């Protein structure tokens, strides 16, 4: 068969991280890509906190230009935020051909940006016509879980997934989608690794009519699972560590494959219902006003002020019926 060359939009060649460097440089990595039928790769410029984006970009170009054996492009990560970063984003778009910027919601104290910074970065991407990307995990929760696990003496590969369970990823996916929608910025969620996170992404796509929300998963998430973290061979278990982690639920690969081909839908109120089904002690209320009316048929006038509350009454005429259903559940 003759098919188009593949495009791998997410590689990390010669990446310095955690005191190590990823095993593939730009020669070995792109050589392997071509051998497998991939003719374009997209790597990530990841500046250190406080480092100039332009200087980091030039450094990555120096690493790659003399070694690559296929076409390549570069995303640029935003690991800190200031006016100078905003200005350099503009230069990268207008003069260097960069049109995608990645933010980390994880790696507290290293790469993680706050929600406020994320909002401003998304605003800037929207202004520049660029795509925002996120590594979606709740870094604050992970940091607390890591402390607890280390205190309990859990230091092996099995602790990785325990520190960042599915809901920690799913919460961040939902939060990123909401912030992106608020800023009207196109969003690409990288390496979606769990059923819960996949459902959140699909829900956001349905909620926003499929506009501006995209995601990817990894071959690893489709081909294996997190049960390997408890393998008796330490090296075998350690070789499966990535972030977000592979999930121990063996049905995840099949679910993710199906999710690639379809969009599921649930309402925001189902968050409470879903948590209760998982056995969490979570309760919720709604209001008579939310059950009795919507803003769908309310005409703009001075009387509209009487409908103001927070969270607001919704415009979807189906909302009262769905809320009543959730009360019954």
């Amino acid at each position: 068969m003759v098919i188009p060359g593949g495009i791998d939009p997410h590689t990390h060649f010669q990446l310095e991280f955690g005191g190590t460097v990823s095993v593939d440089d730009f020669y070995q990595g792109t050589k392997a890509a071509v051998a497998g039928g991939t003719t374009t790769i997209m790597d990530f410029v990841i500046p250190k906190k406080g480092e100039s984006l332009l200087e980091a970009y030039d450094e990555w170009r120096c690493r790659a230009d003399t070694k690559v054996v296929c076409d390549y492009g570069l995303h640029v990560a935003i690991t800190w935020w200031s006016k100078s970063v905003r200005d350099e984003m503009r230069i990268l778009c207008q003069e260097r051909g960069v049109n995608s910027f990645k933010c980390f919601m994880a790696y507290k104290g290293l790469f993680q940006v706050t929600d406020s910074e994320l909002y401003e970065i998304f605003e800037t991407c929207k202004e520049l016509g660029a795509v925002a990307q996120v590594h979606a995990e709740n870094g604050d929760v992970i940091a607390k879980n890591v402390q607890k696990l280390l205190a309990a003496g859990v230091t092996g590969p099995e602790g990785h997934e325990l520190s960042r369970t599915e809901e920690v990823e799913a919460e961040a996916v939902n939060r990123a989608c909401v912030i992106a929608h608020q800023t009207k910025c196109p969003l690409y969620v990288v390496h979606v690794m769990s059923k819960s996170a996949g459902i959140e992404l699909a829900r956001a796509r349905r909620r926003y009519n499929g506009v501006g929300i995209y995601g990817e998963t990894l071959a690893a998430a489709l081909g294996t699972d997190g049960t390997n973290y408890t393998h008796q061979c330490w090296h075998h278990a350690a070789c499966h560590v990535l972030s977000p982690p592979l999930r121990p639920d063996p049905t995840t690969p099949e679910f993710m494959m199906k999710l690639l081909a379809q969009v599921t839908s649930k309402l925001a109120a189902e968050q409470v219902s879903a948590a209760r089904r998982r056995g969490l002690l979570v309760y919720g209320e709604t209001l008579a006003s939310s059950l009795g009316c919507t803003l769908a048929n309310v005409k703009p006038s001075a009387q509209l002020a009487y409908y103001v509350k927070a969270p607001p009454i919704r415009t979807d005429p189906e909302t009262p019926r769905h809320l009543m259903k959730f009360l019954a559940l």
Side-chain angles (χ1 to χ4, degrees), residues 149 153-163 228-231 234 237 241:
L149 289 165
V154 180
T155 60
E158 71 280 5
H160 185 63
E161 201 277 337
L162 295 174
S163 71
N228 290 282
Y229 292 136
T230 56
H231 195 279
W234 188 93
V241 170

Side-chain angles (χ1 to χ4, degrees), residues 104-149:
F104 292 89
M105 302 171 78
Y107 303 121
K108 186 177 178 67
L110 183 62
F111 298 145
Q112 183 177 333
V113 295
T114 66
D115 285 355
S116 178
E117 291 170 334
L118 199 64
Y119 190 101
E120 293 183 22
I121 293 167
F122 285 4
E123 280 188 320
T124 304
C125 286
K126 169 64 176 176
E127 177 185 340
L128 296 174
V131 176
Q133 299 177 315
V134 291
H135 174 135
E137 292 182 288
N138 189 315
D140 294 322
V141 172
I142 292 170
K144 291 294 185 182
N145 288 342
V146 167
Q147 291 176 2
K148 292 178 181 178
L149 289 165

Side-chain angles (χ1 to χ4, degrees), residues 220-269:
L222 303 176
T224 186
D225 60 58
T227 57
N228 290 282
Y229 292 136
T230 56
H231 195 279
Q232 62 182 2
C233 172
W234 188 93
H235 291 284
H236 177 99
C239 283
H240 289 79
V241 170
L242 70 156
S243 297
L246 298 166
R247 302 304 176 181
D249 182 350
T251 66
T252 299
E254 181 183 1
F255 181 90
M256 298 299 287
M257 189 67 81
K258 290 180 178 178
L259 202 59
L260 284 172
Q262 67 181 16
V263 174
T264 61
S265 66
K266 294 181 181 178
L267 296 176

Side-chain angles (χ1 to χ4, degrees), residues 301-316:
S301 68
Q303 301 233 334
L304 195 58
Y306 293 107
Y307 289 85
V308 172
K309 60 179 295 300
I313 297 170
R314 304 302 179 179
T315 56
D316 184 352

Side-chain angles (χ1 to χ4, degrees), residues 33-163:
V34 171
T38 294
T39 54
T40 302
I41 62 97
M42 297 192 71
D43 209 84
F44 290 82
V45 176
I46 303 184
K48 300 179 179 65
K49 194 174 288 290
E51 183 181 7
S52 161
L53 270 59
L54 295 175
E55 291 178 3
Y57 174 85
D58 290 341
E59 179 183 348
W60 250 263
R61 287 292 303 268
C62 289
R63 295 180 187 181
D65 283 351
T66 60
K67 293 185 177 182
V68 292
V69 297
C70 71
D71 292 340
Y72 83 100
L74 292 171
H75 312 288
V76 175
I78 307 300
T79 57
W80 62 292
W81 187 238
S82 69
K83 182 180 182 301
S84 66
V85 172
R86 186 197 305 270
D87 293 341
E88 289 191 332
M89 288 175 66
R90 182 178 300 279
I91 295 172
L92 286 168
C93 283
Q94 295 178 350
E95 300 179 15
R96 308 294 176 89
V98 173
N99 63 1
S100 48
F101 296 93
K102 180 181 180 180
C103 301
F104 292 89
M105 302 171 78
Y107 303 121
K108 186 177 178 67
L110 183 62
F111 298 145
Q112 183 177 333
V113 295
T114 66
D115 285 355
S116 178
E117 291 170 334
L118 199 64
Y119 190 101
E120 293 183 22
I121 293 167
F122 285 4
E123 280 188 320
T124 304
C125 286
K126 169 64 176 176
E127 177 185 340
L128 296 174
V131 176
Q133 299 177 315
V134 291
H135 174 135
E137 292 182 288
N138 189 315
D140 294 322
V141 172
I142 292 170
K144 291 294 185 182
N145 288 342
V146 167
Q147 291 176 2
K148 292 178 181 178
L149 289 165
L150 291 177
V154 180
T155 60
E158 71 280 5
H160 185 63
E161 201 277 337
L162 295 174
S163 71

